[in-house]
Amino acid sequence: MDRASRPAILSADREGIAEAARLLREGRLVAVPTETVYGLAARADRDESVAAIYRAKGRPSFNPLIVHVADLASARALAVFDERALALGEAFWPGALTLVLPLREGAPVAAAVTAGLPTLALRCPAHPVMRAVIAEAGLPLAAPSANRSGAVSPTSAAHVVSSLGGRIDAVLDGGACAAGLESTIVALREHGRWQVLRPGPIPEAEIAAVLGCHSDAVTLRAIEAPGQLASHYAPGKPVRLEAPTAEADEFHIGFGEVGGDVTLSASGDLTEAATRLYALLHEAAAAGQPRIAVAPIPGDGIGKAINDRLRRAAS
């Protein structure tokens, strides 16, 4: 496939899924929809394929990747699961939860996936297209968000093409992503401790209910999983948060009673706001105003994840 014809846009039908799987088996890069955001997938067992993800995204090599698997059994072949990990997998997979677990000795995972760490980030996605691609390829797939590193994550095929263009081989167009925010990432520690490394669609309270105890605060600055960089999800313009009104040079993203130029949710629905967040940040980036203002967002439930992304976008 020559660079001028890249990326190929594939329909999310049987033929498109088969072609995406063929490209992945060959070591190519394919953007695939998940229930969270579009992921830039490559086979996780081949060094050169994983290296291609880092090159295409301009991603720093110390930032590890999430490996997507078909099911819990496939995950256990790659990482060490204790009773807590099994309970979380059974409760939330397939779904928007990523577990950071000890890498199993001899697991067929390229070294670059873990960025040299002794742990592996694993997720079993729920999106039917991503699940079909994993099954057809017959491989665990490394798949960070399908965008330039640090930029706004993609929730549509058009976002992927705009950000990565000819750097990748194909985009499997499955429409807009349902959740709109990257997965919740949980690290399980010794002595029953655990931490939320990245808030996401699955609230911390639901995880605590399964584990029977509250999480520990994240105090270390070390990068153990995606989404922990201080500056991330950036639209390329200054972003002002907690803004009930906008200045003349600001594109205003509203919420609830704050109308704005566009709104995350006129009814104040946080789930709708999460689904629309990245699409509206893309829209704000393309608008004529040089700055962006965002209305106050409540911090409960998935609002914690929304505010986490907005703080990093504003850094």
Side-chain angles (χ1 to χ4, degrees):
M1 187 182 298
D2 63 85
R3 182 168 293 275
S5 63
R6 296 166 66 193
I9 307 300
L10 307 175
S11 298
D13 53 20
R14 181 178 299 178
E15 291 75 17
I17 288 168
E19 175 62 8
R22 183 190 68 81
L23 290 168
L24 288 164
R25 285 194 299 271
E26 290 181 356
R28 307 288 193 91
L29 299 181
V30 181
V32 183
T34 79
E35 70 273 28
T36 57
V37 300
Y38 273 71
L40 181 57
R43 55 186 302 161
D45 62 342
R46 189 175 290 177
D47 289 330
E48 58 268 31
S49 300
V50 174
I53 291 177
Y54 283 92
R55 285 197 303 272
K57 286 177 60 69
R59 185 183 180 94
S61 60
F62 58 78
N63 198 2
L65 306 176
I66 295 172
V67 172
H68 296 69
V69 294
D71 49 34
L72 187 53
S74 302
R76 294 182 72 180
L78 302 178
V80 178
F81 279 67
D82 61 14
E83 291 183 359
R84 298 171 302 159
L86 289 173
L88 290 175
E90 290 167 356
F92 297 112
W93 283 357
L97 177 69
T98 293
L99 295 175
V100 175
L101 302 170
L103 179 67
R104 186 173 292 281
E105 186 175 354
V109 174
V113 167
T114 65
L117 297 171
T119 53
L120 179 65
L122 283 168
R123 183 163 92 88
C124 176
H127 197 290
V129 174
M130 182 58 150
R131 292 184 61 77
V133 170
I134 293 171
E136 183 76 17
L139 296 163
L141 300 177
S145 58
N147 58 287
R148 297 286 186 95
S149 184
V152 180
S153 298
T155 55
S156 72
H159 294 160
V160 177
V161 174
S162 175
S163 185
L164 295 177
R167 291 169 171 246
I168 66 177
D169 296 290
V171 180
L172 192 56
D173 188 351
C177 299
L181 289 179
E182 295 87 350
S183 60
T184 305
I185 300 181
V186 168
L188 298 179
R189 310 299 193 190
E190 294 180 342
H191 309 300
R193 297 169 49 248
W194 62 282
Q195 293 175 308
V196 176
L197 300 185
R198 180 178 71 187
I202 298 176
E204 186 172 339
E206 292 185 19
I207 299 163
V210 173
L211 295 179
C213 60
H214 295 294
S215 67
D216 289 350
V218 177
T219 56
L220 295 177
R221 294 182 178 272
I223 303 298
E224 295 183 85
Q228 291 187 281
L229 296 175
S231 179
H232 207 20
Y233 318 109
K237 296 178 178 179
V239 178
R240 183 168 65 91
L241 306 181
E242 302 288 334
T245 61
E247 305 295 334
D249 64 345
E250 291 179 325
F251 182 91
H252 197 197
I253 298 176
F255 177 81
E257 295 181 355
V258 179
D261 295 300
V262 293
T263 181
L264 289 165
S265 174
S267 65
D269 185 304
L270 287 171
T271 299
E272 180 184 16
T275 301
R276 290 173 54 79
L277 176 63
Y278 289 144
L280 294 190
L281 284 175
H282 279 283
E283 185 174 338
Q289 295 94 323
R291 299 194 299 147
I292 300 168
V294 185
I297 309 294
D300 53 306
I302 199 171
K304 182 176 182 179
I306 295 170
N307 282 303
D308 169 76
R309 305 308 194 274
L310 286 170
R311 283 192 297 271
R312 296 175 195 275
S315 292

